[in-house]
Amino acid sequence: MTATVPADTEELSWPDDGRRGLASAWLALGVTALALAGIFALLLVVARAPGTGALFPTQDFFRVALIVHVDQSVLIWFLAFGGVLWALAARPVPGLSWTAFGVAAAGCLLVAASPFLGAADPLLNNYVPVLDHPLFVTALAIFALGVLLQLATYLTRVWGEIRWGDPLAVGTLTAALATLVAAISLLWTWVSLPPVWEGKAFYEYLFWGPGHVLQFAYTQILLVAWIWLVRAQGRELPLGDNTLSALLVLGILPLLLVPLIHGLYAPDSAETRLAFTRLMQWGNGLAAVPIGIAVLIALVRHPAGAEAAETLPVRRA
């Protein structure tokens, strides 16, 4: 059944040009990451039970499992869902788009397998906790490469063709740009970080700035999902599409300060830690708060909801 939508809407559907299959694959990857996170959540409980230590490849398997659980349920899940949005928003690039997915999937699976292949030495640093082993770090790098390849194919397809009055298109783009800024921040930090640091301190400094930037990407992905779900239920947001699009752009404008932070402060300085903390604290709610309020208003106005639409309605302001 199709929900009744306002007269000033038009249905957004995706042509059968390969993007649906690719998006489904990325969604399956994200769900797989969540399933793996759940398995490792169970394993970390078992690892703490009396007399079960001999069942695991390391005596500190609790922290090992915790790290894999966090990376799968946050980093890999969110970026895989970003892959869903980017796949839906643009035609696949023959050969490259599916290669990107395959690379990301291989990285995801290798992250899960690495504790059983010798990766240990868990480091509970912020944002992207790691097992300090070449295999685990390589697995994360492989996954990141796949995501960046998918990101690149999306940007090359849509750059200059974004419908700025379509909040779903704008939100998808802003999530991509925030992810790109996080990748640049990671590279900048890695190049600038003094070689004296190692172990947990090294990864803490390495992921501090990029980790904060990734929170902006996660937020933009979440906001697109909120708008998508509200529209799919036939509910009407109290904000027009142009306003929603402007808010989504506002949501990543604070990231213009990222190069300034990197340029002014050393990556291992207290100033860098404080600057990125303040950036996320004061900047990452600029879009989330008003759009979140609008979503709540839409839910309150129509508490019973409408029948789910078969296609996604997009309101034209």
Side-chain angles (χ1 to χ4, degrees):
M1 295 183 179
T2 303
T4 302
V5 297
D8 61 344
T9 69
E10 61 184 54
E11 291 179 341
L12 174 63
S13 60
W14 295 279
D16 189 13
D17 56 4
R19 67 182 74 186
R20 294 182 185 180
L22 183 62
S24 296
W26 279 99
L27 182 58
L29 176 59
V31 173
T32 298
L34 291 179
L36 289 170
I39 291 171
F40 275 89
L42 293 175
L43 290 177
L44 66 87
V45 173
V46 175
R48 278 292 175 93
T52 59
L55 300 175
F56 299 98
T58 174
Q59 292 299 311
D60 198 12
F61 194 79
F62 175 85
R63 293 201 301 164
V64 170
L66 179 61
I67 285 171
V68 176
H69 167 79
V70 170
D71 287 343
Q72 293 281 1
S73 62
V74 181
L75 177 74
I76 295 178
W77 156 247
F78 268 104
L79 293 181
F81 197 82
V84 174
L85 298 180
W86 303 326
L88 286 174
R91 290 181 295 110
V93 175
L96 184 57
S97 294
W98 279 102
T99 298
F101 166 76
V103 171
C108 169
L109 296 177
L110 189 56
V111 166
S114 59
F116 305 100
L117 299 174
D121 197 5
L123 303 177
L124 297 176
N125 53 281
N126 281 291
Y127 290 105
V128 186
V130 300
L131 304 178
D132 194 12
H133 188 280
L135 182 60
F136 186 86
V137 175
T138 300
L140 286 178
I142 291 172
F143 173 75
L145 176 61
V147 171
L148 290 175
L149 284 174
Q150 175 60 26
L151 183 63
T153 61
Y154 159 73
L155 289 175
T156 56
R157 288 293 199 192
V158 304
W159 196 254
E161 299 179 2
I162 292 293
R163 294 171 293 173
W164 293 102
D166 180 353
L168 296 175
V170 172
T172 299
L173 176 63
T174 56
L177 293 178
T179 304
L180 182 60
V181 173
I184 294 172
S185 176
L186 178 65
L187 179 61
W188 197 329
T189 303
W190 181 67
V191 171
S192 306
L193 198 59
V196 297
W197 299 109
E198 59 183 17
K200 182 179 179 179
F202 171 79
Y203 290 109
E204 181 75 15
Y205 290 129
L206 180 66
F207 290 121
W208 185 261
H212 280 80
V213 176
L214 269 179
Q215 307 311 303
F216 285 81
Y218 297 163
T219 299
Q220 298 299 109
I221 291 170
L222 176 66
L223 295 178
V224 171
W226 282 356
I227 296 170
W228 189 349
L229 290 171
V230 168
R231 297 279 175 80
Q233 290 187 332
R235 303 175 193 264
E236 185 176 2
L237 289 164
L239 300 176
D241 279 8
N242 289 333
T243 301
L244 289 169
S245 297
L247 287 171
L248 288 163
V249 172
L250 178 64
I252 66 164
L253 281 183
L255 296 184
L256 292 174
L257 296 174
V258 171
L260 183 63
I261 295 171
H262 280 299
L264 288 176
Y265 309 124
D268 56 350
S269 66
E271 290 83 2
T272 290
R273 294 180 68 84
L274 181 61
F276 277 111
T277 300
R278 293 288 183 262
L279 182 71
M280 188 178 72
Q281 180 180 1
W282 298 107
N284 202 23
L286 295 179
V289 171
I291 292 177
I293 292 173
V295 168
L296 288 175
I297 292 173
L299 295 177
V300 170
R301 283 180 175 177
H302 308 281
E307 295 180 2
E310 294 177 354
T311 51
L312 180 63
V314 178
R315 182 170 181 264
R316 299 299 176 196

